[in-house]
Amino acid sequence: MIVVKFGGTSVGDAAAIERATDIVRGRLARQPLVVVSALAGTTNTLLSIAEQAEKGQLIGALRGVEGLRERHLAEASKLLGDREAGADVAADLSAMFDELASLAEALSVLGHLTPRSLDAIASIGERLSSHLVVAVLCARGIPAQLVDAGDVMITDNHFTRAEPQPEMIAEATQRIVRPLLESGATPVVGGFVGATSTGVTTTLGRGGSDYSAALFGAALRAEAIEIWTDVDGMLTADPRVVDGARLIEQIRFDEASELASFGAKVLHPSTIAPAVKIGIPVYIYNSRRPEGCGTRITFDAPRRPVSAIAGKRDVALIRIRTPRMLLAHGFMRRIFEIFDDNRTSVDVVATSEVSVSMTIDDATHLDGLLGALMALGDVSVERNRGIVALVGAGLGDSTATMAQALAALGNVKVHMVSLSSGGINLTLLVDGDQVLEAMRRLHSSFFPVSQ
Ligand code: ASP
Ligand code: MG
């Protein structure tokens, strides 16, 4: 058994759904559970419909509903024609749009949007896409069966960010999904959507369908989870910045997690943790190029000194100096409490005996932060800095790698260095306008073109 999850762009229109159908067909022998996102952009539109309705802008909200209706019906008719199968699906989808329009009207009367009603609206995207995909699979001869996400993805009642309940999910998945798979059917379920144990619709938070795929995979003890998206997999660097960035065929989960903090948008590793932790490999594939080899994420991929280079700009460095820190204790606690009070997360830290340097990404609360920190010592701020990082599980094993990194940077000025314990991430603070150059130099040193 495997889980095959299609993201929004991989079911975004008729052509994408045809490709997804072929991908599923090629995997029937492995008994796939298919998890689908909403058609690309749908969730955003649904959220803005809810927002407009709440503000009383009913005409705008209903226009949004009609836009979604037209789009879904147009793709459905391209895929299924307008007779029989096509007409049935059109009727089912239309009923959901009528329901959406009534919800929007009710909200505009109430003028108040609760997280619970927001989830009722946001979940419609996956209800629509799963319905459509089942109909297309069946029309193409694949014995697909719709599974209602609310019957299997049991969560708590934290609407808009509901917490899945793994034991109940495992029980429901074994009871409902496994027999379908064993009988040769291909179950299809919407990602992102769940329900409380009393049946009220919830969602897992944005991007939640990867999380759904991982939870179902864990519940079934699947052999593999495939995440089909619109990029080839994880790359050695952002290809918009670095020429010659290449695919990472295998990456360790902890390396992927480090890269996620740099906004590597492919997927957020924490969402696949439930599966990877119990040894289920997760693959990322490009549904536009299904022949590609993709990226395999596991707990125990080989330890390479450097797997990828990442970077970001707009980082601020805060430095606190005070002789009082010498041989004192509790000092760090006081500093970090101030960051906590000002809701600012610290990214990289380096300390000496009398100073602490910390970087932050988000300077929204900088004024309050500085005011409070000044009570502890001399504070200085350097804005417009940037970070480049080498990520590799074997980085800490080899001093030569660190020497190579510093040598490759040449005359790029380094303001701070931090090697995470365990040595998976070597972070270098540089000037913001040197981030791209630093990334290019590091990449060509560690991933030379001829390699
Ligand atoms: N459709 C949802 C979203 O856009 C969930 C997902 O695609 O993962 O956030
Ligand atoms: Mg998505």
Side-chain angles (χ1 to χ4, degrees), residues 82-102:
D82 297 323
R83 293 156 161 260
E84 291 177 37
D88 286 350
V89 168
D92 289 346
L93 300 185
S94 273
M96 291 185 221
F97 285 111
D98 293 344
E99 185 188 322
L100 174 60
S102 318

PDB file of all heavy atoms in Angstrom, residues 82-102:
ATOM      1  N   ASP A  82     -20.529  16.352 -21.306  1.00  0.00           N
ATOM      2  CA  ASP A  82     -21.707  16.897 -20.653  1.00  0.00           C
ATOM      3  C   ASP A  82     -22.822  15.866 -20.460  1.00  0.00           C
ATOM      4  O   ASP A  82     -23.897  16.184 -19.976  1.00  0.00           O
ATOM      5  CB  ASP A  82     -22.229  18.112 -21.440  1.00  0.00           C
ATOM      6  CG  ASP A  82     -21.186  19.216 -21.433  1.00  0.00           C
ATOM      7  OD1 ASP A  82     -20.517  19.379 -20.385  1.00  0.00           O
ATOM      8  OD2 ASP A  82     -21.005  19.881 -22.469  1.00  0.00           O
ATOM      9  N   ARG A  83     -22.571  14.628 -20.879  1.00  0.00           N
ATOM     10  CA  ARG A  83     -23.601  13.594 -20.684  1.00  0.00           C
ATOM     11  C   ARG A  83     -23.252  12.718 -19.497  1.00  0.00           C
ATOM     12  O   ARG A  83     -22.124  12.718 -19.044  1.00  0.00           O
ATOM     13  CB  ARG A  83     -23.683  12.704 -21.929  1.00  0.00           C
ATOM     14  CG  ARG A  83     -24.196  13.468 -23.114  1.00  0.00           C
ATOM     15  CD  ARG A  83     -23.738  12.802 -24.403  1.00  0.00           C
ATOM     16  NE  ARG A  83     -24.604  13.268 -25.482  1.00  0.00           N
ATOM     17  CZ  ARG A  83     -25.612  12.558 -25.958  1.00  0.00           C
ATOM     18  NH1 ARG A  83     -25.873  11.357 -25.502  1.00  0.00           N
ATOM     19  NH2 ARG A  83     -26.363  13.043 -26.915  1.00  0.00           N
ATOM     20  N   GLU A  84     -24.165  11.924 -19.076  1.00  0.00           N
ATOM     21  CA  GLU A  84     -24.028  10.946 -17.988  1.00  0.00           C
ATOM     22  C   GLU A  84     -23.020  11.342 -16.906  1.00  0.00           C
ATOM     23  O   GLU A  84     -23.310  12.207 -16.093  1.00  0.00           O
ATOM     24  CB  GLU A  84     -23.728   9.566 -18.571  1.00  0.00           C
ATOM     25  CG  GLU A  84     -24.960   9.058 -19.316  1.00  0.00           C
ATOM     26  CD  GLU A  84     -24.714   7.731 -19.982  1.00  0.00           C
ATOM     27  OE1 GLU A  84     -24.001   6.906 -19.399  1.00  0.00           O
ATOM     28  OE2 GLU A  84     -25.241   7.542 -21.088  1.00  0.00           O
ATOM     29  N   ALA A  85     -21.814  10.700 -16.948  1.00  0.00           N
ATOM     30  CA  ALA A  85     -20.830  10.962 -15.891  1.00  0.00           C
ATOM     31  C   ALA A  85     -20.666  12.462 -15.686  1.00  0.00           C
ATOM     32  O   ALA A  85     -20.685  12.970 -14.558  1.00  0.00           O
ATOM     33  CB  ALA A  85     -19.500  10.315 -16.244  1.00  0.00           C
ATOM     34  N   GLY A  86     -20.541  13.192 -16.799  1.00  0.00           N
ATOM     35  CA  GLY A  86     -20.336  14.640 -16.725  1.00  0.00           C
ATOM     36  C   GLY A  86     -21.501  15.328 -16.031  1.00  0.00           C
ATOM     37  O   GLY A  86     -21.308  16.175 -15.157  1.00  0.00           O
ATOM     38  N   ALA A  87     -22.709  14.930 -16.418  1.00  0.00           N
ATOM     39  CA  ALA A  87     -23.895  15.593 -15.848  1.00  0.00           C
ATOM     40  C   ALA A  87     -24.029  15.273 -14.363  1.00  0.00           C
ATOM     41  O   ALA A  87     -24.373  16.135 -13.554  1.00  0.00           O
ATOM     42  CB  ALA A  87     -25.137  15.148 -16.609  1.00  0.00           C
ATOM     43  N   ASP A  88     -23.722  14.020 -13.988  1.00  0.00           N
ATOM     44  CA  ASP A  88     -23.814  13.641 -12.570  1.00  0.00           C
ATOM     45  C   ASP A  88     -22.863  14.475 -11.725  1.00  0.00           C
ATOM     46  O   ASP A  88     -23.237  14.994 -10.675  1.00  0.00           O
ATOM     47  CB  ASP A  88     -23.423  12.160 -12.381  1.00  0.00           C
ATOM     48  CG  ASP A  88     -24.524  11.243 -12.891  1.00  0.00           C
ATOM     49  OD1 ASP A  88     -25.624  11.755 -13.193  1.00  0.00           O
ATOM     50  OD2 ASP A  88     -24.265  10.030 -12.996  1.00  0.00           O
ATOM     51  N   VAL A  89     -21.623  14.562 -12.195  1.00  0.00           N
ATOM     52  CA  VAL A  89     -20.640  15.324 -11.420  1.00  0.00           C
ATOM     53  C   VAL A  89     -21.032  16.789 -11.372  1.00  0.00           C
ATOM     54  O   VAL A  89     -20.953  17.423 -10.322  1.00  0.00           O
ATOM     55  CB  VAL A  89     -19.230  15.167 -12.033  1.00  0.00           C
ATOM     56  CG1 VAL A  89     -18.277  16.172 -11.434  1.00  0.00           C
ATOM     57  CG2 VAL A  89     -18.734  13.773 -11.784  1.00  0.00           C
ATOM     58  N   ALA A  90     -21.486  17.311 -12.503  1.00  0.00           N
ATOM     59  CA  ALA A  90     -21.875  18.727 -12.531  1.00  0.00           C
ATOM     60  C   ALA A  90     -22.971  18.972 -11.492  1.00  0.00           C
ATOM     61  O   ALA A  90     -22.951  19.986 -10.784  1.00  0.00           O
ATOM     62  CB  ALA A  90     -22.346  19.116 -13.929  1.00  0.00           C
ATOM     63  N   ALA A  91     -23.891  18.026 -11.358  1.00  0.00           N
ATOM     64  CA  ALA A  91     -24.971  18.204 -10.384  1.00  0.00           C
ATOM     65  C   ALA A  91     -24.415  18.175  -8.958  1.00  0.00           C
ATOM     66  O   ALA A  91     -24.782  19.000  -8.110  1.00  0.00           O
ATOM     67  CB  ALA A  91     -26.026  17.116 -10.574  1.00  0.00           C
ATOM     68  N   ASP A  92     -23.486  17.219  -8.697  1.00  0.00           N
ATOM     69  CA  ASP A  92     -22.896  17.131  -7.348  1.00  0.00           C
ATOM     70  C   ASP A  92     -22.121  18.402  -7.004  1.00  0.00           C
ATOM     71  O   ASP A  92     -22.240  18.941  -5.898  1.00  0.00           O
ATOM     72  CB  ASP A  92     -21.915  15.950  -7.263  1.00  0.00           C
ATOM     73  CG  ASP A  92     -22.648  14.610  -7.297  1.00  0.00           C
ATOM     74  OD1 ASP A  92     -23.876  14.610  -7.116  1.00  0.00           O
ATOM     75  OD2 ASP A  92     -21.975  13.581  -7.510  1.00  0.00           O
ATOM     76  N   LEU A  93     -21.302  18.846  -7.961  1.00  0.00           N
ATOM     77  CA  LEU A  93     -20.495  20.035  -7.683  1.00  0.00           C
ATOM     78  C   LEU A  93     -21.408  21.243  -7.498  1.00  0.00           C
ATOM     79  O   LEU A  93     -21.202  22.052  -6.591  1.00  0.00           O
ATOM     80  CB  LEU A  93     -19.487  20.292  -8.818  1.00  0.00           C
ATOM     81  CG  LEU A  93     -18.454  19.189  -9.117  1.00  0.00           C
ATOM     82  CD1 LEU A  93     -17.459  19.655 -10.171  1.00  0.00           C
ATOM     83  CD2 LEU A  93     -17.685  18.750  -7.871  1.00  0.00           C
ATOM     84  N   SER A  94     -22.411  21.333  -8.328  1.00  0.00           N
ATOM     85  CA  SER A  94     -23.324  22.486  -8.219  1.00  0.00           C
ATOM     86  C   SER A  94     -23.995  22.533  -6.861  1.00  0.00           C
ATOM     87  O   SER A  94     -24.173  23.610  -6.288  1.00  0.00           O
ATOM     88  CB  SER A  94     -24.400  22.428  -9.302  1.00  0.00           C
ATOM     89  OG  SER A  94     -23.892  23.047 -10.451  1.00  0.00           O
ATOM     90  N   ALA A  95     -24.333  21.367  -6.335  1.00  0.00           N
ATOM     91  CA  ALA A  95     -24.977  21.342  -5.021  1.00  0.00           C
ATOM     92  C   ALA A  95     -24.023  21.921  -3.969  1.00  0.00           C
ATOM     93  O   ALA A  95     -24.441  22.651  -3.065  1.00  0.00           O
ATOM     94  CB  ALA A  95     -25.385  19.917  -4.661  1.00  0.00           C
ATOM     95  N   MET A  96     -22.737  21.599  -4.112  1.00  0.00           N
ATOM     96  CA  MET A  96     -21.771  22.141  -3.137  1.00  0.00           C
ATOM     97  C   MET A  96     -21.641  23.656  -3.289  1.00  0.00           C
ATOM     98  O   MET A  96     -21.480  24.374  -2.307  1.00  0.00           O
ATOM     99  CB  MET A  96     -20.411  21.476  -3.313  1.00  0.00           C
ATOM    100  CG  MET A  96     -20.412  20.012  -2.901  1.00  0.00           C
ATOM    101  SD  MET A  96     -18.740  19.341  -2.988  1.00  0.00           S
ATOM    102  CE  MET A  96     -19.106  17.754  -3.689  1.00  0.00           C
ATOM    103  N   PHE A  97     -21.714  24.140  -4.534  1.00  0.00           N
ATOM    104  CA  PHE A  97     -21.628  25.594  -4.728  1.00  0.00           C
ATOM    105  C   PHE A  97     -22.875  26.296  -4.190  1.00  0.00           C
ATOM    106  O   PHE A  97     -22.777  27.408  -3.658  1.00  0.00           O
ATOM    107  CB  PHE A  97     -21.385  25.926  -6.206  1.00  0.00           C
ATOM    108  CG  PHE A  97     -19.973  25.645  -6.604  1.00  0.00           C
ATOM    109  CD1 PHE A  97     -19.671  24.613  -7.471  1.00  0.00           C
ATOM    110  CD2 PHE A  97     -18.927  26.387  -6.067  1.00  0.00           C
ATOM    111  CE1 PHE A  97     -18.358  24.331  -7.805  1.00  0.00           C
ATOM    112  CE2 PHE A  97     -17.614  26.120  -6.401  1.00  0.00           C
ATOM    113  CZ  PHE A  97     -17.323  25.078  -7.276  1.00  0.00           C
ATOM    114  N   ASP A  98     -24.025  25.637  -4.304  1.00  0.00           N
ATOM    115  CA  ASP A  98     -25.240  26.232  -3.731  1.00  0.00           C
ATOM    116  C   ASP A  98     -25.087  26.351  -2.213  1.00  0.00           C
ATOM    117  O   ASP A  98     -25.444  27.355  -1.600  1.00  0.00           O
ATOM    118  CB  ASP A  98     -26.472  25.381  -4.062  1.00  0.00           C
ATOM    119  CG  ASP A  98     -26.763  25.401  -5.567  1.00  0.00           C
ATOM    120  OD1 ASP A  98     -26.210  26.284  -6.269  1.00  0.00           O
ATOM    121  OD2 ASP A  98     -27.512  24.519  -6.040  1.00  0.00           O
ATOM    122  N   GLU A  99     -24.526  25.290  -1.639  1.00  0.00           N
ATOM    123  CA  GLU A  99     -24.298  25.293  -0.186  1.00  0.00           C
ATOM    124  C   GLU A  99     -23.329  26.426   0.195  1.00  0.00           C
ATOM    125  O   GLU A  99     -23.538  27.145   1.170  1.00  0.00           O
ATOM    126  CB  GLU A  99     -23.703  23.925   0.180  1.00  0.00           C
ATOM    127  CG  GLU A  99     -23.499  23.684   1.654  1.00  0.00           C
ATOM    128  CD  GLU A  99     -22.712  22.381   1.875  1.00  0.00           C
ATOM    129  OE1 GLU A  99     -22.926  21.395   1.135  1.00  0.00           O
ATOM    130  OE2 GLU A  99     -21.867  22.374   2.787  1.00  0.00           O
ATOM    131  N   LEU A 100     -22.279  26.577  -0.617  1.00  0.00           N
ATOM    132  CA  LEU A 100     -21.306  27.644  -0.365  1.00  0.00           C
ATOM    133  C   LEU A 100     -21.984  29.015  -0.450  1.00  0.00           C
ATOM    134  O   LEU A 100     -21.752  29.884   0.410  1.00  0.00           O
ATOM    135  CB  LEU A 100     -20.160  27.531  -1.382  1.00  0.00           C
ATOM    136  CG  LEU A 100     -19.104  28.634  -1.380  1.00  0.00           C
ATOM    137  CD1 LEU A 100     -18.396  28.708  -0.028  1.00  0.00           C
ATOM    138  CD2 LEU A 100     -18.077  28.391  -2.491  1.00  0.00           C
ATOM    139  N   ALA A 101     -22.824  29.194  -1.452  1.00  0.00           N
ATOM    140  CA  ALA A 101     -23.514  30.484  -1.608  1.00  0.00           C
ATOM    141  C   ALA A 101     -24.415  30.745  -0.396  1.00  0.00           C
ATOM    142  O   ALA A 101     -24.454  31.872   0.122  1.00  0.00           O
ATOM    143  CB  ALA A 101     -24.321  30.500  -2.900  1.00  0.00           C
ATOM    144  N   SER A 102     -25.086  29.690   0.101  1.00  0.00           N
ATOM    145  CA  SER A 102     -25.946  29.909   1.284  1.00  0.00           C
ATOM    146  C   SER A 102     -25.112  30.260   2.505  1.00  0.00           C
ATOM    147  O   SER A 102     -25.506  31.110   3.307  1.00  0.00           O
ATOM    148  CB  SER A 102     -26.766  28.663   1.643  1.00  0.00           C
ATOM    149  OG  SER A 102     -27.266  28.084   0.504  1.00  0.00           O
TER     150      SER A 102
END
